[in-house]
Amino acid sequence: SNSDTIYKTINTFFLVVMMTFFLFYVGQNGYLSIGKNKSFAFFAIAIAFVLISIVIGTELIIVGVKGKVVLNFTSITIVTYIIFSVISSVISEYGNVTIIGATRYNGLLTIVFQCLICVIISYFGCNMKMLPYIFLFVCLAHSFICVLQLYGFNIFDLYS
């Protein structure tokens, strides 16, 4: 259906953004703050994607294009993982640090968003035909940048 195609397009766009913009985004202040910059970029992209997905997904369910969200084995496993991650975070001796994930920014929030993204994309799908070509292009571009850095070029201004 047309609405289903719109949803697959949004999912595909999200994956393309994550494979291109997010991969090459380093932010400002060079290598010292790359983790923080990439983390905030991930949260901004993920929050936008999840909110858009909830709004459009709810609309598709209300108008009857998609059926109710059915919890299959994968979804149940992911929800269970989220529950255990929350419990682990709550009882952790590190307290609130587990929510963001200290200096690596890979804490509970990151896990929850990664799981939500997985469930959303698995429920509505995406355009898989183009993703391998985009992935190939990104890998080639990344390899080229690595070779440039080996020869002393600092195109992302990561180090002084």
Side-chain angles (χ1 to χ4, degrees):
S1 76
N2 196 22
S3 297
D4 208 29
T5 303
I6 291 169
Y7 212 99
K8 284 184 180 180
T9 302
I10 290 169
N11 286 352
T12 303
F13 178 75
F14 168 76
L15 291 173
V16 169
V17 167
M18 290 305 291
M19 287 192 308
T20 56
F21 169 76
F22 179 73
L23 179 67
F24 293 110
Y25 177 74
V26 294
Q28 298 177 358
N29 301 326
Y31 190 75
L32 293 176
S33 61
I34 194 169
K36 180 188 247 182
N37 293 334
K38 287 186 90 63
S39 178
F40 289 138
F42 169 76
F43 286 130
I45 295 166
I47 288 169
F49 174 71
V50 168
L51 289 176
I52 290 168
S53 298
I54 288 171
V55 169
I56 293 176
T58 303
E59 185 264 338
L60 291 178
I61 292 169
I62 289 172
V63 298
V65 172
K66 278 290 211 187
K68 293 179 182 175
V69 176
V70 178
L71 290 178
N72 57 20
F73 178 75
T74 304
S75 298
I76 291 170
T77 304
I78 291 172
V79 169
T80 304
Y81 178 65
I82 291 173
I83 291 169
F84 280 110
S85 295
V86 169
I87 292 169
S88 174
S89 181
V90 168
I91 65 175
S92 171
E93 63 188 51
Y94 297 105
N96 291 339
V97 173
T98 61
I99 294 171
I100 297 294
T103 58
R104 295 186 67 196
Y105 301 96
N106 198 13
L108 180 63
L109 282 178
T110 306
I111 290 169
V112 169
F113 276 108
Q114 289 169 341
C115 291
L116 289 174
I117 290 165
C118 180
V119 169
I120 290 167
I121 291 175
S122 69
Y123 184 68
F124 288 101
C126 62
N127 180 359
M128 288 299 294
K129 290 180 183 175
M130 68 183 283
L131 292 180
Y133 298 106
I134 293 170
F135 186 68
L136 174 66
F137 169 75
V138 168
C139 286
L140 290 172
H142 188 265
S143 297
F144 181 69
I145 291 168
C146 290
V147 171
L148 288 176
Q149 286 184 331
L150 283 173
Y151 283 100
F153 293 98
N154 185 15
I155 63 172
F156 286 126
D157 198 31
L158 290 178
Y159 47 90
S160 51

